[in-house]
Amino acid sequence: MTETSYRIQGATGEWEVVIGLEVHAQVTSEAKLFSGAATAFGAEPNTQVSLVDAAMPGMLPVPNMECIRQAVRTGMAIDAQINRWSRFDRKNYFYADLPQGYQISQLYHPLVGEGAVEIAPDDKNPDATKTIGVERIHVEQDAGKLMHDQHPTRSYVDLNRSGVALMEIVSRPDMRSPAEAGAYLTKLRSILRYVGSCDGNMDQGSMRADVNVSVRKPGEPFGTRTETKNVNSVRFVMQAIEHEARRQVEVLEDGGTIVQETRLFNPDTGQTRTMRSKEDAHDYRYFPDPDLLPLELEEAFLEECRASLPELPDAKRQRYEGLGISAYQAGVLTAEVEAARWFDTLLEAGAKPVAAANWTTSELFGALNRTGKGIAESPVSPAQAAELLALVADGTLSGSLAKQVFEVMLETGDAPTKIVEDRGLKQTSDTGAIEAVIAEVLAKNPNQLAQYRGGKEALFGFFVGQTMKAMGGKANPAVVNDLLKTAMAG
């Protein structure tokens, strides 16, 4: 485990930041938590609302077991305690976008208990890890959405999101820097996407974080925390922590006190502001929901959930490292589930692991970044990439020719073998043809040849370059080197 050295320098000395995150992750399901209404993103307002979601009299909630299954699988993915007996509670408060006047959640008996997420805060040093504790994962229904820009004097309500299933993943206050919080949120998002329990689209609101921050002098007890609500990107979470921690230090050093409150983050200014005073749990008047029986999970259900889990990021990274791939590259390849699946398919197509990792992380990812595409939009398939790497391995293509072929593949989508044949890009090892070109190059550069024979060995690279240029990059570099050494020695 690594310890952070992050500190805020105040007028009275160093301050330590204490951070906990409550992540709300929308469960991947076709229907809401207690109704059959759809959950698709981007639908017209109030077109995905059932009588249950609208809280019509006499409507009773019925649990969607797919949502429960996804939450259980998520808990298993972080080695958390799965509670075979759990219960739904009513959390009573008024929100204009929550028609029933309460939220069905879990407080006293959550579905998932304690777990942990291992993070590597420094991408360049993936072996320096830290374990962040997860206190619980409970399942609850989301509220709707207030729309303030549809009318000059009124606010409208969109209930499409009302009743959508959320997993609230509550960390322990184990993070001590913005970088650790960013690494935790990134890793958690990766795990959720591998499991398939949440799409992790923070820009669409399907994953967002409430950020709890307090400061203290190192070694002292925890200070009073504030909660910054609904932060919807990793970068914004890190900015919110940075600003809020510095604000608290300034307040304390000026002789003030920190008020336990809920705050909002403004991404345009990078600052937090007061939203409301923070209520304690008893203000919500929690009590067991009388319309819902407790959840009792059978062993067969748990076994099915466990058997359905895919290879997770840490296990996949370790497997890649076992194939000779560097720890850094393994981390890059496993960060996003789509990239890892693409790379696995490349290996299954016969590509050598180390060469495949080098090519994927440099050539492919570089090209996708230039064109603004994700791996799912790659014009080059894993099978085509394996074919290209095989042509390099058997000497058909040099490294420079392979780059040319790859650029054509990006433009046309053609297979590399077809491109090589159509454009005459095959590397040659014809010693007779190469020797003839070498003779011409030496004849054209007598001064440099004399200097080389006089001891200026660095000029060898010049002659290699001239030979390759004369042959249009199609000569086998190894053959060129051997024949040049022989010719220039004379």
Side-chain angles (χ1 to χ4, degrees):
M1 178 182 290
T2 183
E3 293 295 330
T4 182
S5 58
Y6 181 84
R7 296 288 187 273
I8 291 180
Q9 297 295 328
T12 61
E14 290 187 339
W15 294 80
E16 183 179 50
V17 185
V18 178
I19 306 156
L21 296 182
E22 300 171 21
V23 176
H24 294 82
Q26 180 176 323
V27 177
T28 302
S29 65
E30 297 295 326
K32 296 181 181 180
L33 181 55
F34 297 117
S35 82
T39 60
F41 176 78
E44 287 295 313
N46 295 309
T47 58
Q48 299 182 160
V49 184
S50 75
L51 296 177
V52 173
D53 309 320
M56 291 296 162
M59 295 297 104
L60 295 177
V62 177
N64 180 346
M65 284 307 294
E66 175 61 17
C67 298
I68 305 304
R69 174 178 173 272
Q70 294 286 28
V72 168
R73 295 173 71 245
T74 301
M76 289 176 171
I78 61 170
D79 292 325
Q81 171 68 38
I82 307 300
N83 297 320
R84 295 184 61 169
W85 190 96
S86 63
R87 187 184 73 195
F88 285 106
D89 302 298
R90 286 191 183 180
K91 180 181 182 182
N92 295 276
Y93 63 103
F94 173 74
Y95 269 20
D97 52 4
L98 197 62
Q100 61 206 30
Y102 56 85
Q103 179 189 41
I104 302 177
S105 182
Q106 293 183 311
L107 176 66
Y108 301 110
H109 300 281
L111 183 63
V112 179
E114 293 188 357
V117 174
E118 187 176 85
I119 64 170
D122 183 358
D123 289 340
K124 305 297 184 185
N125 186 14
D127 292 328
T129 62
K130 179 176 181 177
T131 299
I132 307 301
V134 172
E135 181 179 305
R136 56 194 275 142
I137 301 177
H138 63 260
V139 181
E140 63 186 20
Q141 58 181 171
D142 203 352
K145 179 182 179 182
L146 289 175
M147 305 171 72
H148 305 294
D149 57 354
Q150 307 294 307
H151 192 278
T153 60
R154 299 176 181 175
S155 291
Y156 291 164
V157 182
D158 177 10
L159 295 181
N160 279 352
R161 205 169 63 191
S162 180
V164 165
L166 298 178
M167 294 178 287
E168 182 166 342
I169 305 167
V170 183
S171 83
R172 296 212 173 271
D174 291 344
M175 290 159 273
R176 296 292 181 269
S177 73
E180 288 186 1
Y184 169 79
L185 190 56
T186 299
K187 182 64 171 291
L188 184 60
R189 177 179 179 272
S190 177
I191 292 171
L192 294 175
R193 284 166 57 79
Y194 268 74
V195 171
S197 58
C198 175
D199 62 27
N201 294 333
M202 300 189 74
D203 58 327
Q204 296 180 0
S206 59
M207 183 174 170
R208 51 197 190 270
D210 296 342
V211 186
N212 294 292
V213 176
S214 65
V215 297
R216 65 178 178 180
K217 290 296 181 69
E220 292 187 356
F222 287 165
T224 301
R225 65 180 173 85
T226 63
E227 180 183 39
T228 303
K229 297 288 288 185
N230 292 328
V231 186
N232 67 348
S233 84
V234 174
R235 179 166 61 91
F236 291 162
V237 164
M238 295 172 69
Q239 288 179 356
I241 293 168
E242 182 83 26
H243 174 267
E244 181 59 18
R246 292 188 182 280
R247 184 193 71 83
Q248 291 185 20
V249 168
E250 290 175 4
V251 169
L252 292 171
E253 292 193 329
D254 286 342
T257 57
I258 302 302
V259 178
Q260 184 171 340
E261 62 180 354
T262 300
R263 300 179 68 85
L264 292 176
F265 175 72
N266 185 334
D268 295 326
T269 64
Q271 298 179 344
T272 64
R273 62 176 177 84
T274 297
M275 178 183 177
R276 63 175 181 265
S277 61
K278 176 64 177 176
E279 307 92 340
D280 289 324
H282 63 263
D283 291 328
Y284 291 122
R285 304 188 316 281
Y286 280 97
F287 62 85
D289 191 294
D291 293 331
L292 290 163
L293 292 172
L295 287 171
E296 297 188 35
L297 306 181
E298 297 179 352
E299 186 60 33
F301 174 78
L302 297 180
E303 284 301 319
E304 186 275 327
C305 289
R306 190 172 291 109
S308 72
L309 289 178
E311 184 182 38
L312 295 168
D314 287 348
K316 194 177 290 288
R317 178 177 55 80
Q318 291 170 7
R319 176 165 65 83
Y320 287 174
E321 290 181 32
L323 297 174
I325 297 170
S326 72
Y328 173 74
Q329 285 185 327
V332 171
L333 291 166
T334 56
E336 291 290 343
V337 63
E338 291 90 350
R341 288 172 180 164
W342 196 97
F343 187 72
D344 276 341
T345 306
L346 176 59
L347 295 182
E348 290 167 4
K352 301 298 183 184
V354 174
N358 290 337
W359 182 85
T360 302
T361 56
S362 59
E363 301 298 329
L364 179 63
F365 286 176
L368 294 176
N369 287 336
R370 288 196 307 272
T371 56
K373 293 180 178 179
I375 191 76
E377 305 167 284
S378 173
V380 176
S381 69
Q384 290 175 325
E387 186 179 325
L388 177 64
L389 292 170
L391 292 174
V392 175
D394 68 12
T396 301
L397 292 176
S398 64
S400 60
L401 284 176
K403 290 179 183 291
Q404 294 181 44
V405 172
F406 178 53
E407 290 300 323
V408 178
M409 292 168 68
L410 290 171
E411 293 174 8
T412 66
D414 288 343
T417 302
K418 180 178 186 301
I419 294 169
V420 169
E421 293 174 354
D422 290 350
R423 307 201 179 199
L425 294 175
K426 187 175 182 179
Q427 178 174 264
T428 180
S429 298
D430 183 340
T431 56
I434 296 174
E435 285 174 340
V437 172
I438 288 174
E440 291 179 12
V441 169
L442 296 183
K444 290 179 180 178
N445 298 280
N447 293 336
Q448 289 87 341
L449 180 58
Q451 292 175 42
Y452 173 81
R453 289 173 174 170
K456 196 171 181 180
E457 295 184 358
L459 281 170
F460 184 78
F462 165 78
F463 284 100
V464 172
Q466 290 298 304
T467 304
M468 294 299 292
K469 181 179 179 182
M471 299 199 68
K474 298 177 184 177
N476 186 316
V479 176
V480 168
N481 280 331
D482 291 343
L483 294 179
L484 262 175
K485 288 176 183 176
T486 301
M488 294 173 72

